[in-house]
């Protein structure tokens, strides 16, 4: 009884693993075909390949970046900028992405200049930090604050006061 249950669980696990692997290979093949179409100058076919990847739930920064490149090559600048912006959310510090985004915006004719609010100017660094990095920075900062508060609870040293004030200001900013 026990051995048959283990065998059935193993078989189910094997089938699920093979199914996931086959699906991943299919997505990799679709990505490769779209890249190949882009290299050969068939930009509309590449766009369709990247869009089907996104629709199947396999969107990442590279797919949006490549989709933006394909849109630029087919002179659809608005869609290129949109997809570069989507890629920038997932890959905030990519130099090639920033260059291509600037290039696409410069080529647009009817560009409305961006208005920068006071908040955007104050937190100018926010665009270059991913949400994951911001979360981990906040977690580390929070741990440091609680460590300083704990030290200050038992020993009232002058440097702990100043450090807690500085960390608290940084915590509020983040």
């Amino acid at each position: 009884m026990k051995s048959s249950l283990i065998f059935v669980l193993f078989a189910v696990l094997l089938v699920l693993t093979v199914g996931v692997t086959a699906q991943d290979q299919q997505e990799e093949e679709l990505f490769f075909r779209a890249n190949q179409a882009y290299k050969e100058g068939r930009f509309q076919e590449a766009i369709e390949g990247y869009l089907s990847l996104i629709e199947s739930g396999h969107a990442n920064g590279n797919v949006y970046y490549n989709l933006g490149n394909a849109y630029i090559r087919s002179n659809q600048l608005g869609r290129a900028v949109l997809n570069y912006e989507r890629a920038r959310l997932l890959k905030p510090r990519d130099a090639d992405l920033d260059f291509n985004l600037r290039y696409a915006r410069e080529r647009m004719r009817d560009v409305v200049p961006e208005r920068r609010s006071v908040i955007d100017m104050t937190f100018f660094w926010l665009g270059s930090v991913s949400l994951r990095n911001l979360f981990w920075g906040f977690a580390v900062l929070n741990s440091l604050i609680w460590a300083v508060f704990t030290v200050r609870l038992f020993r009232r040293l002058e440097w702990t006061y100043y450090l807690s004030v500085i960390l608290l200001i940084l915590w509020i900013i983040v």
Side-chain angles (χ1 to χ4, degrees), residues 72 77 80-81 84-85 88 94-108 111:
I72 271 199
L77 298 175
V81 169
Y84 285 145
E85 288 290 346
R88 196 166 72 161
D94 190 340
D96 292 333
L97 175 61
D98 291 337
F99 178 80
N100 286 4
L101 181 60
R102 276 195 307 274
Y103 175 73
R105 284 189 174 153
E106 288 171 2
R107 285 190 54 201
M108 293 178 76
V111 175

Side-chain angles (χ1 to χ4, degrees), residues 17-128:
T17 304
V18 169
V20 169
T21 305
Q23 185 179 12
D24 287 344
Q25 286 176 347
Q26 184 182 14
E27 301 302 328
E28 286 177 18
E29 183 179 321
L30 185 58
F31 186 69
F32 177 75
R33 275 189 276 133
N35 285 342
Q36 196 65 29
Y38 178 83
K39 287 178 186 176
E40 294 172 359
R42 296 176 287 143
F43 303 118
Q44 192 58 39
E45 188 178 325
I47 289 169
E48 291 169 4
Y50 295 131
L51 287 175
S52 66
L53 273 172
I54 291 170
E55 289 171 2
S56 68
H58 288 79
N60 59 32
N62 294 327
V63 173
Y64 283 122
Y65 175 73
N66 290 353
L67 182 58
N69 288 342
Y71 276 132
I72 271 199
R73 293 299 201 121
S74 63
N75 286 327
Q76 299 180 37
L77 298 175
R79 292 181 179 184
V81 169
L82 171 69
N83 285 289
Y84 285 145
E85 288 290 346
R86 288 176 177 165
R88 196 166 72 161
L89 290 174
L90 301 170
K91 297 171 45 171
R93 289 183 294 269
D94 190 340
D96 292 333
L97 175 61
D98 291 337
F99 178 80
N100 286 4
L101 181 60
R102 276 195 307 274
Y103 175 73
R105 284 189 174 153
E106 288 171 2
R107 285 190 54 201
M108 293 178 76
R109 292 184 190 145
D110 298 332
V111 175
V112 178
E114 281 187 46
R115 287 190 186 179
R116 295 193 59 176
S117 66
V118 174
I119 293 175
D120 290 337
M121 288 187 284
T122 305
F123 298 108
F124 61 91
W125 50 270
L126 207 54
S128 64

